Amino acid sequence: IVIGYEAFGGCVGLNTITMPNSLTSIGSNAFNGCSGLKSVVLSDNLIEIKSNAFEGCTGITSVEFPEKLQSIGDYAFSQTGLTQINISSNVMRIKGDGAFSKTPIKSVILEDGENELDMNWGMFGSAEKAYIGRPGFFALSGSGLKEVTLGKYVKEIPLDFVCSHYIEKFTILSSIPPVVGREGHDYFSEDTYDNCKLIVPKESLEAYKTAPIWKYFTNVEESEVSGIKNVLTSKDSKSLTYGINGCIATSNGIVIEKKSDGSVRKYVRK
């Protein structure tokens, strides 16, 4: 089943929609201009969201993307009220420059994965916090990031990912320092080198202190990164919430929740 071109476009009185799991595609402009739409539950089997599908839906402040989603079209969520997004490792392409343009996004999570995500430069320019779990994160270039976490699959930071502003906290989960796109002290700002807290895996401290670019950071700490895959929970227990270092979370920021059924999700706790 698909929702066709402009199927509900301009329906300002539409406020809630729950899509059946038989739905696999949302067509271009399907909900364009539905300014009254506030709640959207996507199909578990959704594969693609085409261009301009939810453009102008200013009432949408959050949406949970299904694991099977592979493609998000240009301007699909432009001019919505989204403040945070979580992109699964199955999404291979976010088309164009405007998929999330003119939205107040403050936090971005790119789920762990080895496949590179195809997306354009500067797509999430308003983001302040980011968990980057896979290669190909040009979309965060030029943003005002304050807190960044790089997952274990990120082995290289591209040349275009230049942060001239001050990053307050930088956490890296790889025991091998990621290769930076180019050598040069000006890759990050002077304030970042002097004041940013760089957190690296335990027993990798010396490797980071001598690695290109990372050696310029003066405030480097090591942390036990145990992950959460082996954490056991009973069926009757409540969900458990961890920081990205594998310890029980005691503060706000990007955290990981493991539920009693074994399922895991990352989100930003405010």
Side-chain angles (χ1 to χ4, degrees):
I1 297 178
V2 302
I3 296 178
Y5 174 74
E6 291 188 343
F8 298 93
C11 294
V12 295
L14 185 65
N15 56 61
T16 302
I17 185 167
T18 300
M19 301 178 184
N21 288 333
S22 54
L23 183 74
T24 58
S25 176
I26 299 175
S28 298
N29 295 282
F31 297 93
N32 191 313
C34 295
S35 56
L37 188 59
K38 295 182 178 180
S39 175
V40 177
V41 179
L42 300 175
S43 162
D44 289 342
N45 295 307
L46 187 64
I47 295 175
E48 64 174 347
I49 301 173
K50 293 188 176 181
S51 61
N52 307 86
F54 293 94
E55 183 179 14
C57 296
T58 55
I60 297 178
T61 58
S62 65
V63 63
E64 185 171 343
F65 294 113
E67 284 293 319
K68 294 182 179 180
L69 184 65
Q70 297 178 12
S71 176
I72 300 174
D74 201 8
Y75 296 97
F77 291 91
S78 175
Q79 300 182 64
T80 61
L82 291 176
T83 58
Q84 63 181 61
I85 59 170
N86 188 326
I87 305 295
S88 81
S89 59
N90 290 320
V91 175
M92 299 306 297
R93 187 180 185 191
I94 301 178
K95 300 178 181 179
D97 296 322
F100 298 94
S101 66
K102 299 180 181 179
T103 62
I105 292 175
K106 296 300 180 186
S107 60
V108 176
I109 294 175
L110 305 182
E111 291 282 0
D112 292 336
E114 297 185 61
N115 294 322
E116 184 170 339
L117 176 60
D118 181 10
M119 58 186 178
N120 287 352
W121 187 93
M123 188 175 295
F124 304 121
S126 63
E128 296 179 354
K129 296 182 179 181
Y131 178 95
I132 304 169
R134 59 193 294 198
F137 46 90
F138 299 100
L140 288 158
S141 298
S143 62
L145 289 172
K146 296 180 180 179
E147 182 176 326
V148 182
T149 299
L150 301 184
K152 62 181 181 180
Y153 293 114
V154 178
K155 305 300 183 184
E156 181 177 355
I157 299 180
L159 173 62
D160 290 342
F161 188 70
V162 179
C163 297
S164 59
H165 63 277
Y166 167 45
I167 298 176
E168 297 174 1
K169 184 179 180 182
F170 214 135
T171 304
I172 305 178
L173 304 188
S174 174
S175 58
I176 301 175
V179 176
V180 180
R182 64 171 171 78
E183 177 64 275
H185 190 273
D186 61 344
Y187 193 85
F188 293 104
S189 71
E190 200 68 39
D191 282 342
T192 296
Y193 289 127
D194 292 341
N195 302 308
C196 173
K197 179 183 291 186
L198 176 62
I199 301 175
V200 302
K202 191 174 182 180
E203 300 179 355
S204 298
L205 185 62
E206 292 306 314
Y208 277 86
K209 284 187 174 181
T210 58
I213 299 297
W214 307 113
K215 64 184 179 182
Y216 298 131
F217 285 76
T218 59
N219 185 12
V220 186
E221 299 178 7
E222 57 181 357
S223 177
E224 186 73 48
V225 182
S226 61
I228 63 171
K229 289 185 177 180
N230 297 323
V231 175
L232 300 178
T233 56
S234 70
K235 292 183 178 180
D236 298 325
S237 67
K238 297 180 180 180
S239 62
L240 301 176
T241 305
Y242 301 81
I244 48 82
N245 62 357
C247 301
I248 295 293
T250 58
S251 61
N252 296 337
I254 297 174
V255 297
I256 307 169
E257 179 184 27
K258 183 168 185 178
K259 301 180 181 179
S260 59
D261 62 1
S263 62
V264 172
R265 72 180 181 114
K266 297 183 183 74
Y267 68 99
V268 176
R269 186 166 68 182
K270 299 179 180 179

